[in-house]
Amino acid sequence: MLRYLPAVPKFTVTALIILAIVNLLVGVILRYFVGAITDWLDVDPVPFTWVEEVGELSLAWLTLIGAAIGIHSRSHFTLTVFVHRLPETAQLWIHRFNHALIAGVGLLAAWYGLKLCLLNRTLTTPGLEINLAWLYASSVVGGVLIAAYGFAMMISPLPHDASQH
């Protein structure tokens, strides 16, 4: 069971991307096709305010979990102008310091996200009436993942391409 745990964030992001695409498609259909049909038939319009809420929630979760996955897979942009010319020991310490900063930012996002969850736990979205804490929980989960992956990268060895320049 534990060997599948690292795949959970990637699976979650994949599901969120599919949800966002389907949600966008449903929103377009409801806005332009169903709206035109209900106008033509002179019947009450179909409400679709929930589409924006689903999109906002999925985008928040997708962004924060995706950022953490980017840290783990080392796919974020890095600018190596000077560091690659330093000795490998200095490169390692700069690598560790950078990832300690990343982990710190993740913990900060998680901390303030938790505070926002607690502050907004009594509020709901207007369309679906989803507790707003679910929106801010994305920063808690994403921040914890960013911190965990940042710490993991901090103790990992330098990537081979960083020390060979």
Side-chain angles (χ1 to χ4, degrees):
M1 176 89 173
L2 287 177
R3 67 179 177 200
Y4 297 116
L5 192 60
V8 170
K10 290 181 181 180
F11 176 77
T12 303
V13 165
T14 303
L16 286 168
I17 289 171
I18 292 168
L19 174 66
I21 291 170
V22 169
N23 181 60
L24 184 64
L25 181 63
V26 168
V28 168
I29 290 170
L30 287 175
R31 182 175 303 241
Y32 295 107
F33 296 111
V34 175
I37 292 170
T38 56
D39 285 346
W40 184 69
L41 293 174
D42 196 27
V43 295
D44 290 336
V46 176
F48 55 90
T49 55
W50 59 270
V51 172
E52 183 178 336
E53 293 174 8
V54 171
E56 182 180 352
L57 283 164
S58 61
L59 183 62
W61 281 90
L62 176 68
T63 301
L64 286 153
I65 296 173
I69 292 170
I71 292 166
H72 182 65
S73 64
R74 299 178 193 259
S75 61
H76 285 292
F77 174 76
T78 58
L79 183 62
T80 56
V81 175
F82 174 70
V83 176
H84 69 282
R85 298 185 188 278
L86 296 174
E88 192 168 331
T89 306
Q91 289 181 33
L92 179 63
W93 283 104
I94 291 171
H95 165 81
R96 288 178 177 164
F97 178 73
N98 285 339
H99 284 92
L101 284 176
I102 290 170
V105 169
L107 290 174
L108 191 64
W111 171 253
Y112 279 105
L114 181 62
K115 289 175 79 169
L116 282 170
C117 282
L118 296 174
L119 183 67
N120 293 298
R121 69 180 177 255
T122 59
L123 302 176
T124 59
T125 61
L128 293 174
E129 296 184 6
I130 296 172
N131 190 321
L132 269 181
W134 281 105
L135 175 64
Y136 299 112
S138 63
S139 61
V140 177
V141 171
V144 167
L145 280 172
I146 287 170
Y149 289 153
F151 284 129
M153 292 292 115
M154 188 173 71
I155 62 174
S156 70
L158 279 173
H160 292 300
D161 61 345
S163 60
Q164 291 179 352
H165 290 281

